[in-house]
Amino acid sequence: MDHCLFNIKGTGCLAPPPPPPSADATIQFSVGLNGVNRRDDTETVQTLLNNASARTGVPKKLLKVDGWVGPLTVGAIHEFQKAQFGSSDGRVDPNQKTIRRLNEISKLTPAKPPAVPAPPVLTPRERAFEVLPLATLWVSLASVHLNILLSSFKFNGGKIADPTAFNTVNTHFHLDREPNKVEANLQELIRLYGLILRTFSDAQTIFLDGPAVANSPFADAPMGGFQLPGTEFHRITFRPGFVNCGPNTRSAMLVHEGAHFVGGINEISHFAMEFPAPDGQPQGKGNVRNYAQLLTKEAMRNASSFAAFAIHAATGTDHRYGAADITK
Ligand SMILES: [Zn+2]
């Protein structure tokens, strides 16, 4: 039994092969503070310092490899020596410890940059939950606005006491076009916004992911689904197109879908889009009036009006978030 590892083809035991020649970089003269600072030597040291920077993070900054010794190169030598030896003279001498250590470190594998975790890929439903607090705030403030208006309306014997607050509602629901039904219509709006809040509070059950559908790329709610618990209609689905919409747009869509959902069966649909603001566009079969022209009973069945009023009441501004610029 031959224990010689290098016995090749019966030639006897050979000496192990020599290690590969050292690839150490060398300098002929000193580089750095009070050094000779030859250009090629300086480039060698600058390259080694940059290697050290990539592998250990020290020196902190990469040098320009230009063969010139200035404060940055001397500073980098000091920084490297302090980190490695605890003291520094700012100079690299041929065959001395600094050049040796620089070479040792250059052979290490460069440190990988810290992995930046990829942002989580959220589903449409998760993107809906992101903005649920905002949508809930809007709807809550819409309810507060309507309740205050109704109280003051009753207190003043059926007269509008705060025209500004009334106009905020009127811009979207045109209550002035049914002057004898202002109180009843305010009560109905309060009831519907309250149901939207109840829907939002049950979002864990009601909000679902849905497939992309040609005529409904963002979100969909069966009209009156709220009345049908335990059925396939008792859900609001969010579609792939929803994912890339901005937060205000998504939040407006939550309110819009919420309105479809909480009205009666086939009640709250589309009569006019809120775009382009302020007049909007007629929407749906046979509708000819734009957003500003809708009859009260149409506006109160128009999902877009529910979203736009909630935003107006909550922010004090008639933003028309939704389909106009979906990145907002
Ligand atoms: Zn809709």
Side-chain angles (χ1 to χ4, degrees):
M1 190 86 189
D2 191 343
H3 292 283
C4 178
L5 290 170
F6 296 96
N7 187 358
I8 299 166
K9 288 185 181 172
T11 57
C13 191
L14 301 174
S22 161
D24 276 5
T26 57
I27 52 174
Q28 271 194 286
F29 299 100
S30 57
V31 172
L33 192 63
N34 302 320
V36 177
N37 296 335
R38 271 177 39 152
R39 195 161 179 184
D40 54 347
D41 288 339
T42 302
E43 285 181 0
T44 298
V45 169
Q46 287 170 330
T47 302
L48 289 169
L49 286 164
N50 284 347
N51 288 345
S53 179
R55 283 155 179 79
T56 68
V58 179
K60 284 200 184 69
K61 285 184 187 162
L62 291 176
L63 295 168
K64 192 173 161 191
V65 179
D66 58 4
W68 294 100
V69 172
L72 294 177
T73 300
V74 172
I77 295 169
H78 274 299
E79 206 183 326
F80 177 78
Q81 289 175 323
K82 274 185 194 146
Q84 294 294 326
F85 311 119
S87 63
S88 70
D89 61 6
R91 199 174 72 227
V92 185
D93 292 309
N95 300 314
Q96 297 302 307
K97 64 177 182 181
T98 304
I99 189 86
R100 285 203 296 267
R101 186 61 61 86
L102 279 167
N103 271 302
E104 282 166 24
I105 287 173
S106 284
K107 286 171 197 151
L108 302 175
T109 308
K112 284 187 187 136
V116 179
V121 179
L122 298 181
T123 68
R125 178 180 187 266
E126 288 166 331
R127 292 288 268 169
F129 273 94
E130 276 186 337
V131 296
L132 184 59
L134 179 61
T136 302
L137 179 69
W138 287 350
V139 174
S140 301
L141 292 173
S143 289
V144 169
H145 188 106
L146 292 166
N147 274 293
I148 292 173
L149 201 60
L150 178 62
S151 298
S152 78
F153 187 79
K154 286 183 185 168
F155 187 78
N156 287 285
K159 290 203 179 73
I160 310 293
D162 182 346
T164 306
F166 183 77
N167 282 336
T168 300
V169 184
N170 209 46
T171 299
H172 306 280
F173 293 112
H174 310 298
L175 301 187
D176 62 338
R177 292 172 189 163
E178 284 185 2
N180 298 327
K181 287 186 69 184
V182 171
E183 186 176 325
N185 284 333
L186 283 172
Q187 272 166 344
E188 174 64 359
L189 289 173
I190 288 166
R191 185 184 75 82
L192 289 166
Y193 276 105
L195 291 181
I196 295 175
L197 280 179
R198 278 180 56 188
T199 300
F200 287 174
S201 71
D202 201 13
Q204 286 293 349
T205 308
I206 293 170
F207 285 12
L208 295 171
D209 282 313
V213 176
N215 62 0
S216 183
F218 302 108
D220 185 77
M223 287 181 275
F226 185 88
Q227 335 293 333
L228 304 165
T231 72
E232 60 174 310
F233 303 107
H234 196 69
R235 85 269 186 287
I236 298 175
T237 49
F238 297 93
R239 308 292 167 78
F242 186 80
V243 168
N244 297 319
C245 297
N248 289 305
T249 301
R250 281 182 281 137
S251 185
M253 288 180 184
L254 258 62
V255 184
H256 177 115
E257 299 305 332
H260 284 314
F261 189 69
V262 301
I265 309 296
N266 292 330
E267 181 186 354
I268 297 184
S269 61
H270 300 133
F271 286 83
M273 289 169 69
E274 62 271 58
F275 300 106
D279 292 338
Q281 292 292 320
Q283 190 184 16
K285 244 185 180 173
N287 294 316
V288 292
R289 283 178 282 275
N290 72 24
Y291 193 86
Q293 296 164 339
L294 292 182
L295 306 177
T296 316
K297 62 177 186 238
E298 291 169 337
M300 289 183 55
R301 291 178 56 196
N302 189 40
S304 295
S305 303
F306 281 81
F309 167 66
I311 297 162
H312 196 165
T315 66
T317 305
D318 186 10
H319 295 291
R320 304 276 177 101
Y321 298 124
D325 176 0
I326 62 169
T327 65
K328 283 189 179 166

